[in-house]
Structures are given as C-alpha cells and as structure tokens.
Amino acid sequence: MAGIYVHIPFCKQACHYCDFHFSTNTSQLEKMIKMIAKEAEIRKEYLGKEKIKTIYFGGGTPSLPDPKWIDFLLNEFSKLFTLDLQEITLEANPDDLSIEKLRAWKKFGIDRLSLGVQSFEDRILQFYNRAHNSHESIEAIEKARDAGFYKFSMDLIYGFPWKDHSLWKKDLELVFSQDPGHISCYALTIEPKTALGVWEQKGKFSPADEDFVAEQFEILQEEALKHGYDQYEISNFSTPGKEALHNTNYWKSVPYLGLGPGAHSFDGTQRGSNIRNNSKFIHSLESGQISFEKEETEESDILNEYILTSLRTKWGIDLEYLKDRFQKDLKIEKMKQLDQFGQAGWLLWGENTLSLTKSGKLLADSIASALFF
C-alpha cells in the first residue's frame, strides 16, 4: 500500500500566513504539470511494486489549473503505477468552485475535496489576504454536493488575536452546520518569512498568547465531540468512516511518492524532498534529472518520528511494534516520564498501546519529545 502526493505550486495571491512553496506567477503552470508527469516517469520505481491506494493533489492551489491538467496527470499515473485507488483528494479554494470545474473533477475521478475555508469572518479573510469571502465558503459544499461530491474536509485556522472567542465559536457553528464530515483545524503560526512574520518583527502584529490559543483548542474539542466528530489526530476531526485516508497513512508511516517542487517523499525507510524552486525544478527535469535529495537519517530519527506522529493519533504508539522494530521497551526505559505524565492525567493505556487524553493532546509535541530516545 502506498500513496502519491502532487504539489501544484501556484496560487492567485499570497496568503499572509503561508510558508508553503508556491508562486503567484502562473506563466509556467502548463510546463510545470508536464514536468511533474515526467518526474513521475523517472521515479516510478521509487515505491517498488506497491499498489497506489491514495492520491492527493495539494499546493499551492491545485484547484487553480484547468481541470484537464488534473485529468492529464491521473492518466499518466495510470500508465506508470498499479492503481488500486480508495481515495483521490483535491485541495480547493471556495472561489474556484465553479460548477464546470466541479463536474470535470468528479468525472476525472476526484472523490474528495479539501476546502480551504480558514474562517467564515470576512474581516479575518481579508486580513489573511484570502481570495474568497464567507458567502463563497458557505455555498461551497452545497455546490459540490450538487455536482455529485459527498466526501469533504474543511480547513479552519484558530488562534487569531481577538478580544474574546466569539469569532472562533461562530466559525465552528457555521462549519458544523455544513456537516462536511471532516474538518482540519490548525493554530495560526507565525513563520518568519511570511507577511505576518515581517509584521510581527516590525511591531505591526501581535499574535495571541498561548493560553488564548489553548482555550480555542479546547473549545474546538468540545464542539467537535458535541457534533459527533472524533478527534482521530491532533488537528483532524471526522464523523465515523470519514477520516482522510491519505493523511492517515502519513501518520502510520505508509510509503508515498511526492511529486512537484518542495514535495516530500518516504519509501518506508528513508525520507527526502524536492527543491523548492519552480524554475530549477523544471530545468532539472528538462535535462532528464531530478532535484530530489535524500535526508540523512539514523535509526533513532526513524524511532523518534514514529513516536511523534503516532502519539498525535487516537491509535497511539504500538508498544509491541517498538519492541519488535526498534528493540525499545517504552514502559521500562521511559518509566519516570510516563509516571509523571500519567499522574497529570495525560495518558491513555490500551492493552499494547499508549495514546493521549483530551488534556494530553494540548501538549502532544512536548510529551512526545520527552519520550524520544
């Protein structure tokens, strides 16, 4: 079992918080798509004989190109890989959801949309420099359902500095009223090279304090539970059977091939990434080369990454897997830390698993780092 991630590195405009690789210059868009297909051909042996179960079109904004290019890539993948698809996701912005595009994506095999809503408050959307408005967000799922889609996710950002939690509560009320089946919620993070990062350095923007952000996370947990959404990963919530298969496989260390500039890959043992430069990525492939660099990893890196990613999920750490794969007995070797976290009420023990309680999820990264080897 394996997956393919496709990074489409173009956007209409730059969101003020975004640190992903993208360009607002779309002059190379069609050439980029062709080079992504060429990269797939060159790297078709990366996953061995694994069947491809999931494909994820991310970015950037993969809803920006003419749908024919998504169809082009899917046709190329069908020639190069053994496809046994369970899910094909496409990230889309609400302002891109024309009925023509929706019907085309559906016809070409896209069966899940991940909608970049971020907020239903126009003042916040404008501050983030998003291209859509709240009305388009509210209409998004209705239009997609009319086109035949039934699997969705909606992205939201919490932690915007405000006098109280009223705007966040409104966002949650509206997203659950749409009942998408899946939501992904991320705390507003200030990255140095983004517009928000520059504004913070110049004293023009002050992010919310940690307690405010933590309170919004707890509100999210409460509202999700109330509406029947399971927190199956720290930032991801779904109704039964609506988990994101592709992303779940990331957290379960399933191999995947990343295509496009800035895309990461994992072959089951070693990770690597493509260069974050559109022109250099295109030029290298025109020369018959790939711009993929393997990461230098040790066994301890693989072990600690497993602890970090699995502890973020409801399935938690498989203690027997740690013993068999890494010869590590967490209960014995990290007894002091586990006792401390257990007394604080942050741990859930299964028969052979360790996961986090509701309060423990607030501290997932710091708990994981304390258990690193």
Side-chain angles (χ1 to χ4, degrees):
M1 178 171 68
I4 293 175
Y5 171 79
V6 184
H7 189 79
I8 308 294
F10 299 99
C11 293
K12 289 180 183 177
Q13 56 199 53
C15 298
H16 289 159
Y17 54 79
C18 184
D19 192 39
F20 292 131
H21 172 66
F22 70 93
S23 172
T24 56
N25 180 354
T26 60
S27 61
Q28 293 182 307
L29 194 154
E30 293 186 6
K31 182 179 285 187
M32 175 64 72
I33 299 289
K34 293 175 182 177
M35 290 303 103
I36 288 173
K38 186 170 184 178
E39 183 192 7
E41 182 177 8
I42 294 173
R43 301 182 65 198
K44 62 184 178 182
E45 303 299 330
Y46 180 81
L47 297 171
K49 301 299 181 182
E50 293 277 4
K51 292 183 178 180
I52 304 301
K53 298 286 187 178
T54 63
I55 297 174
Y56 192 104
F57 290 94
T61 311
S63 58
L64 187 60
D66 188 301
K68 69 180 182 182
W69 292 112
I70 300 297
D71 186 39
F72 167 75
L73 288 174
L74 289 172
N75 284 329
E76 292 301 303
F77 297 160
S78 69
K79 300 172 188 175
L80 299 170
F81 304 98
T82 301
L83 303 184
D84 185 17
L85 293 169
Q86 298 175 344
E87 176 186 276
I88 308 178
T89 300
L90 183 134
E91 290 182 354
N93 285 339
D95 50 297
D96 289 329
L97 297 191
S98 68
I99 193 64
E100 292 79 16
K101 278 189 173 183
L102 285 163
R103 287 172 177 167
W105 293 331
K106 183 68 176 174
K107 178 183 177 182
F108 300 150
I110 305 298
D111 62 1
R112 182 175 181 272
L113 297 177
S114 180
L115 304 174
V117 172
Q118 315 313 350
S119 177
F120 291 96
E121 174 55 55
D122 283 333
R123 287 171 292 180
I124 294 180
L125 292 173
Q126 291 166 9
F127 181 81
Y128 288 158
N129 200 37
R130 296 290 292 170
H132 69 278
N133 58 46
S134 58
H135 179 71
E136 289 169 318
S137 293
I138 293 170
E139 282 192 330
I141 283 191
E142 180 181 352
K143 291 168 67 175
R145 283 176 173 145
D146 287 345
F149 286 92
Y150 65 95
K151 291 173 68 177
F152 307 95
S153 181
M154 281 186 154
D155 287 359
L156 292 176
I157 296 175
Y158 63 92
F160 182 84
W162 198 250
K163 60 182 179 181
D164 55 28
H165 299 307
S166 58
L167 292 184
W168 178 231
K169 289 179 179 179
K170 177 187 174 185
D171 277 348
L172 291 174
E173 179 183 356
L174 284 169
V175 78
F176 287 123
S177 72
Q178 302 296 306
D179 193 21
H182 188 284
I183 61 172
S184 297
C185 301
Y186 304 97
L188 180 61
T189 303
I190 312 302
E191 302 291 349
K193 295 182 180 180
T194 63
L196 290 187
V198 173
W199 294 346
E200 183 184 26
Q201 292 169 11
K202 293 182 177 180
K204 296 181 178 180
F205 175 76
S206 297
D209 62 45
E210 290 184 0
D211 288 342
F212 183 87
V213 177
E215 288 167 5
Q216 295 211 331
F217 182 72
E218 291 174 325
I219 293 170
L220 166 63
Q221 289 178 307
E222 292 169 4
E223 290 301 310
L225 183 63
K226 186 190 303 182
H227 289 87
Y229 281 65
D230 179 32
Q231 187 177 16
Y232 71 98
E233 193 271 342
I234 295 295
S235 302
N236 290 273
F237 304 75
S238 77
T239 53
K242 296 292 183 68
E243 297 89 352
L245 299 182
H246 185 86
N247 290 355
T248 296
N249 287 341
Y250 285 157
W251 304 315
K252 292 186 174 182
S253 299
V254 173
Y256 63 94
L257 171 62
L259 302 171
H264 289 250
S265 299
F266 175 58
D267 64 5
T269 304
Q270 195 169 36
R271 297 188 181 277
S273 61
N274 290 343
I275 191 170
R276 286 170 58 105
N277 182 293
N278 287 2
S279 295
K280 290 181 179 179
F281 176 84
I282 289 172
H283 178 71
S284 66
L285 283 160
E286 286 178 329
S287 304
Q289 305 295 319
I290 58 172
S291 56
F292 177 74
E293 292 187 4
K294 292 182 179 180
E295 296 177 5
E296 294 298 326
T297 56
E298 299 180 0
E299 188 77 351
S300 60
D301 297 322
I302 300 171
L303 166 59
N304 291 336
E305 182 175 297
Y306 171 74
I307 291 172
L308 178 66
T309 55
S310 60
L311 205 55
R312 290 180 61 89
T313 72
K314 70 175 183 179
W315 303 284
I317 298 171
D318 184 329
L319 302 174
E320 289 301 314
Y321 175 74
L322 281 188
K323 292 178 183 178
D324 295 341
R325 170 68 174 81
F326 301 103
Q327 292 76 54
K328 296 293 184 181
D329 191 324
L330 200 69
K331 287 184 177 180
I332 293 176
E333 298 183 59
K334 297 292 180 178
M335 183 184 300
K336 180 179 178 181
Q337 293 91 333
L338 292 173
D339 284 345
Q340 176 188 345
F341 298 150
Q343 290 175 19
W346 297 337
L347 303 181
L348 281 174
W349 293 96
E351 184 176 349
N352 283 303
T353 61
L354 173 64
S355 56
L356 298 179
T357 62
K358 182 179 175 182
S359 57
K361 290 173 182 175
L362 277 166
L363 303 164
D365 289 347
S366 58
I367 292 173
S369 64
L371 299 178
F372 285 171
F373 288 90

